Amino acid sequence: MAEQNTYIYKKHIPREKGIPDQFPLKCYRPAPNDIPPCSPEILVGMDSGISNTAFSYIELIRDRTTNALIDFKYGGTYYFKKVLDGFSCKLDKQIYLAEQYYNLFSHQRVSSLTFEVLSLNCPKNEETLKGILDAQTTTTIISTVAYQLNHHFNPVPATAIKHSLTGKGNASKYDMCMESYAWTRDEDLLYNDHMADAFACCFCTFIKELKESCAFHSIPIPQRFSYLLNCQ
């Protein structure tokens, strides 16, 4: 009886030379006509890792008279674990994620990409430290693409992201998922903390810009957001 092959071979991107000619390692700045003039202004959030990266985005809603920021519309969240698990090489995963960011947002009016600052203080073990370093590399690659696209990128401490969404700087993963679902009604965020964290990142920047915009235009903070801003 032939021995059953229990190994599953993962994909490997063939390389004919060191640096490929095509994207994702060769980026281009957008031309003036690349983004449709009526495109909504969006904020992008990212929860970065190697196999657990997620992108989320929201559209900004402004008052037509004053241009003050008054609300947002949830756009969606993208999660790539199933595809990433098929790659054999860490760099292939990171390049794939950079390509997805480019494909999703290069033709949209992105005002900010927000992601968590990953701390290297007192990692629990060597494996945790390695994971943080790998996630930092992923973030660096994607933020480089954002820079090429003229997207402002905004690193924010985890405590500030959690506080903006839940009112608690030490919120649990469960809390983050519940609050993300409450704001979006997207059940994927209810059961996936990476997707919830990605939404929380863009929500954090939204809350900051909302507060600044209302103060600048001397208008009250919309009622649905006032309880979050009062506790900051």
Side-chain angles (χ1 to χ4, degrees), residues 95-157:
I95 290 176
Y96 174 83
L97 289 167
E99 186 174 21
Q100 296 316 299
Y101 183 88
Y102 183 89
N103 291 339
L104 287 168
F105 303 116
S106 60
H107 290 76
Q108 297 202 57
R109 192 154 63 100
V110 178
S111 61
S112 181
L113 164 66
T114 304
F115 50 84
E116 178 186 336
V117 175
L118 300 172
S119 175
L120 293 175
N121 294 332
C122 303
K124 296 179 180 179
N125 50 54
E126 184 177 348
E127 188 65 24
T128 301
L129 176 61
K130 182 178 181 299
I132 293 174
L133 292 174
D134 288 344
Q136 283 186 334
T137 304
T138 304
T139 301
T140 300
I141 293 172
I142 295 172
S143 59
T144 301
V145 176
Y147 174 80
Q148 287 295 111
L149 295 171
N150 294 327
H151 298 172
H152 172 74
F153 52 91
N154 181 32
V156 178

Side-chain angles (χ1 to χ4, degrees), residues 68-70 208-222 229:
L69 183 60
I70 56 173
K208 178 177 179 294
E209 293 187 5
L210 175 70
K211 185 176 181 180
E212 292 173 352
S213 181
C214 290
F216 178 81
H217 292 280
S218 300
I219 61 174
I221 294 166
L229 297 172

Side-chain angles (χ1 to χ4, degrees), residues 5 32 62 110 133 158-159 164 172 175 179 201 203:
N5 184 3
R62 296 185 179 275
V110 178
L133 292 174
T159 51
S164 293
S172 66
D175 293 334
E179 289 298 325
C201 285
F203 186 82

Side-chain angles (χ1 to χ4, degrees), residues 12 27 34 41 52 70 75-76 82 140 145 200 206 212 214 222 227:
H12 184 76
C27 302
D34 278 350
E41 181 183 1
N52 292 309
I70 56 173
K82 288 184 179 180
T140 300
V145 176
F206 166 76
E212 292 173 352
C214 290
Y227 80 97

